[in-house]
Amino acid sequence: MYQGVAPEMPMNYQITYSAKRSTVAIIVKARQLQVKAPTGTCEHFIAEFVASKRDWIVKQLQRQSALHSEKSQPLDEGVLTLFGQKQPLLLKSDNVSHVRWLDEGIEISIGNRVQNRQEKAKALLLTFMAEELAQFIHIRLGYWQPRMGVQAQDVKVRVYKRRWGSCDRRQRLTFNTLLAGAPKWVIDYVVVHELAHIRYMDHGPRFWELVNQHCVHTQEAKNWLRQRGISLELEF
């Protein structure tokens, strides 16, 4: 791996060489610039290639920075969005670590002996969100399953990077913990969506007919997740 600076560009980039590659590729990810190149590619050629893509790179970096700013930072901001509502987040020290609801908001207590308080608070918060989401989903499954004529074999909540929910061929449903921040009507759409996959594993006409039959705000929910889903992601 080689680290260089593209001519006339205020940004660093890293080069990863591979004998399997036949072309040079530029990747902008997590506000970082990476270059993948065939083994033996001249560094000067790479620098000129990156410089030639300057406008595109700048646009991608700006776009990613804008998206990053939309992510929630609950521990820094002292606010957690839960089911579409902003809740004050209160951090304190205690003999044991726990999370609980109070009249004035959500309290996160970190044990006095905990060394990495940031990581502990993050773990507690994600567990709390998963539990709250699981309770809501359980209620909605009880409502939707008999109406849709389907039955999930198992339901889990976990953190996903690129999806809000999933249904496998064993009819097991999994939902993204971060959905806990979405309005309940959006979560309801995701529940109906995944339940519909129990009957139809694809996204064909019959699948969408079933979803739309039971969810009157399908398009609105899809638009919300597409446009505002980034706000559900958390930065710690």
Side-chain angles (χ1 to χ4, degrees), residues 8-208:
E8 301 180 0
M9 294 187 66
M11 63 186 73
N12 292 331
Y13 61 91
Q14 289 187 326
I15 306 173
T16 300
Y17 294 100
S18 172
K20 296 181 179 180
R21 291 200 62 86
S22 59
T23 59
V24 176
I26 297 175
I27 299 173
V28 182
K29 185 176 181 181
R31 296 181 293 168
Q32 300 292 324
L33 180 59
Q34 302 175 17
V35 178
K36 298 184 181 296
T39 301
T41 303
C42 174
E43 293 171 6
H44 180 69
F45 170 82
I46 293 174
E48 289 186 336
F49 180 74
V50 172
S52 71
K53 304 296 182 181
R54 181 182 188 281
D55 291 345
W56 177 83
I57 293 170
V58 170
K59 288 180 180 179
Q60 295 302 311
L61 290 171
Q62 290 174 340
R63 175 178 173 274
Q64 291 187 11
S65 293
L67 290 175
H68 177 77
S69 66
E70 294 181 23
K71 295 182 181 181
S72 299
Q73 302 180 49
L75 300 182
D76 292 336
E77 298 169 352
V79 175
L80 174 68
T81 301
L82 197 62
F83 301 121
Q85 301 295 320
K86 293 186 180 298
Q87 304 291 342
L89 202 58
L90 315 170
L91 273 70
K92 59 171 289 187
S93 298
D94 205 340
N95 293 328
V96 294
S97 300
H98 64 271
V99 183
R100 63 175 179 172
W101 279 100
L102 297 176
D103 291 340
E104 58 268 31
I106 301 169
E107 179 185 84
I108 301 181
S109 297
I110 308 297
N112 295 321
R113 296 184 179 182
V114 174
Q115 295 183 349
N116 193 329
R117 302 176 65 82
Q118 184 87 355
E119 284 300 313
K120 185 63 176 180
K122 173 183 175 180
L124 286 170
L125 192 58
L126 288 174
T127 298
F128 173 77
M129 292 173 64
E131 292 172 350
E132 291 292 317
L133 180 62
Q135 290 180 24
F136 177 73
I137 287 176
H138 177 74
I139 294 172
R140 300 313 294 162
L141 287 175
Y143 177 85
W144 285 119
Q145 288 182 137
R147 286 165 173 77
M148 296 178 67
V150 296
Q151 181 70 44
Q153 298 304 309
D154 189 27
V155 180
K156 294 182 179 179
V157 175
R158 53 160 290 189
V159 175
Y160 274 127
K161 289 186 177 181
R162 295 182 177 86
R163 61 177 66 180
W164 298 115
S166 68
C167 172
D168 65 19
R169 295 191 178 279
R170 295 184 180 181
Q171 303 179 352
R172 298 176 300 187
L173 308 184
T174 305
F175 296 92
N176 191 331
T177 299
L178 302 182
L179 264 179
K184 290 182 177 180
W185 62 272
V186 174
I187 302 173
D188 222 28
Y189 156 71
V190 178
V191 171
V192 172
H193 183 114
E194 300 310 331
L195 283 174
H197 276 311
I198 293 179
R199 187 171 296 175
Y200 305 111
M201 288 302 295
D202 57 16
H203 287 98
R206 292 184 301 175
F207 168 83
W208 287 115

